[in-house]
Amino acid sequence: MNSNTLESFFYNEYMPHGHCYMWQPHILWTNVVADLLIALAYFSIPIALLIFAHKRPDIGYKKVVWLFSSFILFCGITHLFGIITIWQGIYGWHGVMKSFTAVVSISTAIYLYRILPALVTISTPEQVEDIKQSLSNVTTEKEQLYLQVEQQKLVQFMIDTMPIGACLLGKEYEILLCNDTFCSETGFNKEQALAIKLEGLLAPDDPSNLDFLSKLNNKNTLFSDKDKLQTILQFKNRFGNVFPAEVSLVKKQFDQQHYYIFTLQNLTEIEEVKRQLIESHKKLERAINAAEDGIWEYHIPSKQMTWSDKFAELIGANDHLEESLENWKQHIHPDQLKIVETQLNSLFNKKERFSIEYLGKNSSGEYGWFNFIGKSIFDDNNVPISMSGSLRYIQDSKALKQQVAEKTELLNAIYEGANNAIWVVSVEDTEQFRFLTFNRAASERLNAPSEQVAGKLLTELSGTVLSADIVEKLNHHFQSCVDIKSVSEYSEMIPYKGKNCWYFTSLYPILNADNDVVRIVGSSIDITSQKEVEQQLSDNKNFLENIIDASICGISLFDLTQQNVVRVNQRYTDILGYTLEDLRNAQDKLSIYHPDDLVDISNQIELVIQSPVNASLSNKHRYRHKNGGWRWCSTNTTIIKRDIYNNPLIMLTTFIDITEQLELMEKLQESNAYLERFAMVASHDLQEPLRKISAFSDMLSERLTTDYELDEDSEFQLSRIRDAAGRMRVMVSDILGLSQINSMAIQKTVFSLNDVVNAATDQLQMAIEDSEANIIIENGEETINADKSLLIQLLQNLISNSIKFKSDQSPIITISIQNSAYLTIINIKDNGIGMESKYCTQIFEPFRRLHGKDKYKGSGIGLAICQQICKVHGGKIECQSELSQGTNFKVTLTK
């Protein structure tokens, strides 16, 4: 350790202070206990200061409190360090703490002297008492003023709560004061009203307003302190609405000044009540005149009868017919008159309402049924003084009742003949249910006659007509209908004759005046067949779901209105790894597509949306797999659901993973390119030595023939060399042709069968003539859509094969054609030597021979070329043959 360094300052291995006490316990512990007590005192004093400052914030001087608290706190910490240094020599830290204490102490002293002048000005207790006395006097005056203000507020409150508007006007009729009612009636607040004169509130052009204004203008001569103007005026509120009001204007004097007391009472409600009474009276008149009933009244003492216009119209009375009881009786049918008179005489002294139906003449002079309704009015002595009532023409209602009776009979027939079970139960006070009635279908469902069920409680049928389980179910359903007090519908299965039958039941509650259910009408429909169909539909749905999930294609449904995927199948998840939840919760819906394909995908969707119904578009683009890789997919997109305006709603996308296919295709293209280059190079490299072999063998043959006399073996060997070179040249040429057919782009044109057969036979003219072959063309005018040069090559190979493998007879080659909507089929049939059927597929393999090359010349590639030509046309070639029965080649081409 170096002296006079920072390290020596905080060195903690100095001699403890206890050595100064020579570790004498009585000296050591005296200092320790004293320092500890001093520290505790120092720690408690800041707490007390802070509590005092918190409880007396009005004292102020918070900085002094915090400085004193800090100073005393640091003093206490210094004493604690004094205890620690007895055992630990950390004098550097002790010095640092004393330095902090010193800084806080000096700061406290400086700040205390700075605020000393302000502290000196603090009031003495005597000065505080004087201030209290002054405040008491001010408080007394304030309370008196407050009482006056409260009285003024009460007066203002009383004025504001008056049901009429009131205001104080100046000498120019300007508003000086106003109450709340006046403000609410005019729509102005009190500040806005002070800037308005009385004439500004009156509706212009009203005669009563103009007369009132003229009186105001003549106030010096016509309006004195004793005068009072009172009238009804039309006022205009702040919003421009006009209303009637009763006003009064009184001139008063206050403090040698003249003022005007103006009051206003809104008459809108009173006017509205008048208008309603008038309108009600008019409505009553219109209702009486428009009603189908005629109104009448008969005054018994005077025997006078009055009736309404409708009454007169109903009985066919003219305008000059006197309103009397006798004239009314004249329209009654003679057979009904005595009956009506007898009933009226018996009803005069009764207080009950009466109703008499009789036959009388109507407005057309024909007899019809009338209903004469009325009631007697009695005086205080219980003597009848008048009768009043109405007359109604009920001919139509009579006919309607007849119809109702007939319909009721019909409904009863329907009720009993319906296939639906219908029943009625009453709700007993004991919370039980009693069957009142049920129809034939219900009897059949219960397998019990109505007499065994009607009138019995539901619980009484348990174990006899119904099983205990069914009784419990019915009781539960009935009670639920009672609880909810509304229609209850449910489906349930009930065994019937050993078969599980399903029923859809509706319960209709009938409520009384207290809104309690008193009866329940039940109707049950047999839905067993519907349930079976639903089960089949559910099974079919599950079956289709399994088919969709097991499909080789990934399938997704996109809701164009929600802009989200609503369905994917299992294959979608298998191919791309995403579940439906992953797609729905994805923040970036386009992140699953390759950025380079987004434009093509957007264009494809737009084209699909604008395309005709059921149209679909195909495309190839890349999807991002959930694990991060890219997958090439071949997609097909179509709209499967549109709204009534043909707007697209649901878009279906199906796709298959073609990543491996494209990778294999790329490898295949590379392989084909390599094979093509190899064929080209090989054919070129092989042609050169073959030409040399042919040339040198010809030169050698000529020399040997000239210089030597060759034997037969030498000539045979030289000829074999020339033949082998020639065959090799043909084979190389055919191999090159085969490779080129595999890669070349075909050029399709439309031509007839005659054209292509004639072109092929022209090149084989010598072989045809030598073999005396007969070429027969059937349907030669039919057209073919193919590459003409390749098809000529195909027919040339097949015709030359038929000539080459001819039998002892002259070759007969028949070429026919058949066209369909999508295919063209060409048959080439000959009468040659034929072959076993097991070789019909092997002959299309390159270099495949069924006979020795010495007997039948050729490269062995001709039929392989034919097969390749068919493949590049999207078709195929087949062979049918038997030994000595000829051969038939069937060429199928797609259009």
Side-chain angles (χ1 to χ4, degrees):
M1 180 189 67
N2 296 325
S3 302
N4 299 323
T5 62
L6 187 63
E7 180 183 0
S8 64
F9 188 82
F10 291 104
Y11 185 64
N12 59 0
E13 296 297 332
Y14 291 111
M15 181 185 299
H17 199 200
H19 287 286
C20 297
Y21 302 144
M22 296 182 180
W23 302 106
Q24 298 184 54
H26 58 285
I27 298 176
L28 186 148
W29 288 107
T30 300
N31 282 274
V32 168
V33 172
D35 282 336
L36 184 61
L37 291 175
I38 293 171
L40 290 175
Y42 278 148
F43 290 156
S44 62
I45 291 172
I47 296 172
L49 288 174
L50 293 175
I51 292 173
F52 174 76
H54 177 71
K55 291 184 176 295
R56 291 293 307 273
D58 56 306
I59 298 296
Y61 302 105
K62 290 185 178 180
K63 289 186 179 180
V64 175
V65 175
W66 280 103
L67 285 172
F68 265 104
S69 300
S70 303
F71 162 62
I72 297 171
L73 178 65
F74 278 109
C75 288
I77 295 174
T78 303
H79 279 277
L80 287 180
F81 269 90
I83 297 173
I84 296 172
T85 55
I86 293 177
W87 288 278
Q88 300 291 332
I90 54 174
Y91 299 114
W93 289 103
H94 195 185
V96 170
M97 186 51 59
K98 285 184 177 181
S99 299
F100 280 129
T101 306
V103 170
V104 175
S105 302
I106 292 299
S107 300
T108 304
I110 292 171
Y111 186 76
L112 183 62
Y113 275 100
R114 285 180 59 186
I115 66 173
L116 188 61
L119 294 175
V120 173
T121 60
I122 296 176
S123 301
T124 63
E126 292 80 6
Q127 292 173 334
V128 171
E129 288 296 327
D130 292 341
I131 292 171
K132 284 183 178 181
Q133 183 62 37
S134 299
L135 289 175
S136 176
N137 295 334
V138 171
T139 301
T140 303
E141 294 177 359
K142 182 179 179 181
E143 289 177 352
Q144 292 176 354
L145 292 175
Y146 179 77
L147 288 175
Q148 294 179 3
V149 171
E150 287 297 320
Q151 288 178 353
Q152 290 182 357
K153 287 182 178 180
L154 288 174
V155 172
Q156 184 65 39
F157 173 74
M158 179 183 67
I159 295 174
D160 286 339
T161 55
M162 292 174 59
I164 61 174
C167 58
L168 181 67
L169 304 180
K171 62 181 180 179
E172 298 297 330
Y173 305 112
E174 72 275 11
I175 299 175
L176 302 177
L177 293 172
C178 62
N179 66 348
D180 290 345
T181 305
F182 181 85
C183 292
S184 64
E185 295 292 351
T186 59
F188 296 97
N189 57 39
K190 292 185 177 181
E191 290 75 11
Q192 295 170 337
L194 296 181
I196 301 174
K197 290 186 176 182
L198 179 60
E199 60 185 12
L201 297 174
L202 298 178
D205 302 331
D206 186 86
S208 59
N209 291 355
L210 295 176
D211 181 63
F212 181 76
L213 288 173
S214 65
K215 291 181 179 180
L216 293 183
N217 294 331
N218 296 327
K219 60 183 180 179
N220 293 328
T221 58
L222 301 177
F223 195 78
S224 63
D225 292 349
K226 297 180 180 180
D227 293 331
K228 177 180 180 181
L229 291 180
Q230 188 169 1
T231 184
I232 295 177
L233 303 176
Q234 298 294 321
F235 275 78
K236 180 177 68 176
N237 63 15
R238 177 189 171 203
F239 307 105
N241 299 323
V242 177
F243 62 92
E246 183 180 4
V247 301
S248 65
L249 186 65
V250 179
K251 185 177 181 181
K252 296 294 181 182
Q253 184 175 352
F254 178 75
D255 286 345
Q256 306 301 319
Q257 294 288 335
H258 286 282
Y259 297 95
Y260 295 95
I261 307 300
F262 178 78
T263 60
L264 172 150
Q265 184 174 6
N266 195 334
L267 301 179
T268 302
E269 293 183 0
I270 297 175
E271 292 294 328
E272 180 64 20
V273 170
K274 289 181 179 178
R275 187 192 64 78
Q276 290 179 358
L277 288 174
I278 295 172
E279 185 65 26
S280 177
H281 180 70
K282 291 180 179 179
K283 285 182 179 180
L284 183 60
E285 287 183 347
R286 290 195 299 269
I288 292 174
N289 294 329
E292 294 183 357
D293 295 352
I295 308 302
W296 61 271
E297 186 175 45
Y298 179 68
H299 191 254
I300 297 174
S302 63
K303 295 183 179 181
Q304 293 181 351
M305 185 175 186
T306 58
W307 56 56
S308 65
D309 295 340
K310 187 65 178 179
F311 187 96
E313 178 185 348
L314 288 176
I315 65 175
N318 54 42
D319 297 337
H320 303 291
L321 186 65
E322 182 184 358
E323 298 178 1
S324 64
L325 185 63
E326 296 300 325
N327 288 334
W328 166 64
K329 291 180 180 180
Q330 288 180 3
H331 99 107
I332 301 176
H333 194 280
D335 297 340
Q336 298 277 317
L337 182 57
K338 286 194 176 291
I339 299 175
V340 173
E341 289 178 343
T342 303
Q343 290 179 340
L344 278 177
N345 292 331
S346 64
L347 293 172
F348 275 144
N349 297 321
K350 293 184 178 180
K351 296 183 178 181
E352 293 86 1
R353 176 179 176 274
F354 61 85
S355 176
I356 302 173
E357 292 184 0
Y358 66 88
L359 197 63
K361 285 184 179 180
N362 57 22
S363 58
S364 302
E366 300 176 352
Y367 283 105
W369 283 97
F370 289 83
N371 187 15
F372 191 72
I373 304 170
K375 188 177 181 180
S376 297
I377 300 174
F378 296 81
D379 60 10
D380 296 337
N381 299 321
N382 207 23
V383 176
I385 57 175
S386 67
M387 297 178 70
S388 60
S390 63
L391 178 69
R392 177 177 297 178
Y393 185 62
I394 61 171
Q395 179 63 35
D396 294 338
S397 63
K398 275 284 189 179
L400 183 61
K401 286 182 180 179
Q402 181 64 29
Q403 294 176 5
V404 169
E406 294 174 354
K407 288 184 178 180
T408 302
E409 184 179 355
L410 178 61
L411 289 174
N412 288 332
I414 294 174
Y415 170 74
E416 290 297 333
N419 290 327
N420 298 347
I422 303 173
W423 68 91
V424 180
V425 295
S426 64
V427 181
E428 304 289 329
D429 295 336
T430 57
E431 295 187 355
Q432 294 202 43
F433 306 95
R434 186 182 301 278
F435 280 94
L436 299 179
T437 181
F438 56 100
N439 66 349
R440 175 194 54 79
S443 299
E444 293 178 355
R445 296 292 183 270
L446 294 177
N447 199 20
S450 59
E451 55 270 12
Q452 292 185 8
V453 179
K456 293 186 178 180
L457 295 173
L458 178 62
T459 53
E460 295 176 351
L461 304 177
S462 178
T464 56
V465 177
L466 300 173
S467 65
D469 294 338
I470 294 177
V471 168
E472 184 178 357
K473 287 182 180 180
L474 290 175
N475 189 79
H476 172 72
H477 293 316
F478 292 165
Q479 189 60 47
S480 298
C481 182
V482 171
D483 294 337
I484 64 176
K485 298 181 180 180
S486 64
V487 178
S488 174
E489 297 180 339
Y490 59 90
S491 299
E492 65 179 350
M493 188 276 294
I494 298 178
Y496 177 64
K497 294 183 178 180
K499 179 183 177 182
N500 292 335
C501 296
W502 283 89
Y503 298 95
F504 179 77
T505 302
S506 300
L507 301 178
Y508 301 88
I510 298 176
L511 308 178
N512 60 9
D514 297 329
N515 202 32
D516 294 329
V517 179
V518 293
R519 287 183 179 82
I520 298 175
V521 179
S523 174
S524 184
I525 304 173
D526 189 346
I527 58 171
T528 304
S529 58
Q530 177 183 340
K531 281 290 183 179
E532 293 173 351
V533 171
E534 289 177 356
Q535 183 62 39
Q536 292 176 0
L537 290 176
S538 177
D539 295 341
N540 291 337
K541 180 181 178 182
N542 294 333
F543 179 69
L544 291 175
E545 294 283 348
N546 294 333
I547 290 177
I548 291 173
D549 287 334
S551 173
I552 193 173
C553 299
I555 299 174
S556 69
L557 294 178
F558 188 83
D559 192 321
L560 294 170
T561 57
Q562 300 178 11
Q563 289 295 305
N564 210 343
V565 179
V566 296
R567 177 68 187 278
V568 296
N569 69 339
Q570 183 60 41
R571 185 59 180 160
Y572 185 104
T573 304
D574 295 339
I575 294 175
L576 300 179
Y578 301 104
T579 63
L580 181 59
E581 288 73 18
D582 296 335
L583 297 174
R584 284 181 172 176
N585 299 330
Q587 295 181 352
D588 186 2
K589 306 296 184 182
L590 301 178
S591 62
I592 66 171
Y593 304 109
H594 197 282
D596 297 341
D597 298 338
L598 289 177
V599 175
D600 289 341
I601 295 171
S602 178
N603 293 336
Q604 182 183 11
I605 293 175
E606 288 297 327
L607 289 174
V608 169
I609 290 175
Q610 298 172 7
S611 62
V613 179
N614 298 327
S616 62
L617 291 179
S618 300
N619 201 353
K620 294 179 182 178
H621 54 259
R622 288 158 284 185
Y623 286 91
R624 183 192 298 276
H625 195 278
K626 190 175 181 179
N627 60 15
W630 293 103
R631 308 295 295 179
W632 274 99
C633 296
S634 176
T635 67
N636 190 281
T637 307
T638 184
I639 302 298
I640 63 172
K641 185 178 181 180
R642 297 176 183 265
D643 61 14
I644 59 175
Y645 304 106
N646 203 33
N647 297 318
L649 299 178
I650 303 295
M651 180 173 67
L652 168 68
T653 300
T654 60
F655 63 89
I656 59 174
D657 187 355
I658 60 172
T659 305
E660 296 180 359
Q661 177 183 344
L662 291 179
E663 292 174 352
L664 291 175
M665 184 63 69
E666 185 177 354
K667 292 179 181 178
L668 181 60
Q669 289 175 351
E670 293 176 356
S671 175
N672 288 340
Y674 173 78
L675 290 175
E676 184 177 353
R677 290 193 300 271
F678 174 78
M680 294 293 291
V681 173
S683 64
H684 180 272
D685 292 345
L686 289 175
Q687 290 282 3
E688 182 61 26
L690 285 175
R691 284 194 297 270
K692 289 182 179 181
I693 291 173
S694 297
F696 283 117
S697 62
D698 291 340
M699 291 171 61
L700 181 61
S701 176
E702 290 178 2
R703 180 185 294 181
L704 292 177
T705 304
T706 304
D707 297 341
Y708 303 97
E709 199 171 312
L710 298 177
D711 56 11
E712 293 182 359
D713 291 338
S714 298
E715 289 181 356
F716 174 75
Q717 291 172 356
L718 286 173
S719 65
R720 294 284 290 180
I721 291 174
R722 288 193 295 270
D723 291 342
R727 288 196 304 273
M728 187 64 179
R729 187 181 296 111
V730 173
M731 291 177 62
V732 170
S733 177
D734 288 344
I735 290 174
L736 181 60
L738 180 62
S739 65
Q740 290 175 342
I741 292 173
N742 186 49
S743 60
M744 68 188 300
I746 63 175
Q747 299 293 329
K748 285 189 173 183
T749 58
V750 179
F751 47 87
S752 67
L753 178 63
N754 287 329
D755 293 340
V756 71
V757 173
N758 291 334
T761 55
D762 285 345
Q763 299 182 24
L764 298 173
Q765 188 63 36
M766 292 183 62
I768 294 173
E769 292 176 356
D770 291 342
S771 64
E772 298 180 352
N774 182 18
I775 309 297
I776 302 173
I777 305 174
E778 297 180 354
N779 301 327
E781 69 280 358
E782 289 287 334
T783 58
I784 305 171
N785 185 15
D787 189 303
K788 188 173 182 179
S789 62
L790 290 180
L791 198 59
I792 291 172
Q793 186 178 359
L794 180 143
L795 291 175
Q796 185 178 338
N797 283 337
L798 294 177
I799 294 172
S800 64
N801 260 17
S802 297
I803 295 174
K804 182 191 302 183
F805 299 104
K806 68 183 184 66
S807 63
D808 296 338
Q809 300 175 358
S810 297
I812 300 175
I813 304 170
T814 304
I815 303 174
S816 61
I817 183 173
Q818 293 177 347
N819 272 321
S820 64
Y822 305 102
L823 299 175
T824 297
I825 300 174
I826 304 173
N827 287 288
I828 301 93
K829 185 177 181 181
D830 62 41
N831 60 344
I833 61 176
M835 64 183 135
E836 295 182 23
S837 59
K838 64 181 180 180
Y839 298 120
C840 284
T841 56
Q842 299 177 14
I843 60 176
F844 296 105
E845 298 175 6
F847 308 113
R848 183 71 175 183
R849 289 177 175 272
L850 301 182
H851 306 281
K853 59 186 177 181
D854 294 335
K855 185 175 181 181
Y856 297 101
K857 294 182 179 181
S859 63
I861 302 178
L863 291 178
I865 292 175
C866 292
Q867 186 181 51
Q868 191 63 25
I869 291 173
C870 291
K871 283 185 178 179
V872 297
H873 281 82
K876 61 183 178 177
I877 183 170
E878 300 171 284
C879 174
Q880 296 176 349
S881 181
E882 293 182 10
L883 282 174
S884 304
Q885 299 297 323
T887 304
N888 180 34
F889 286 98
K890 180 181 179 182
V891 177
T892 303
L893 305 176
T894 59
K895 290 187 175 180

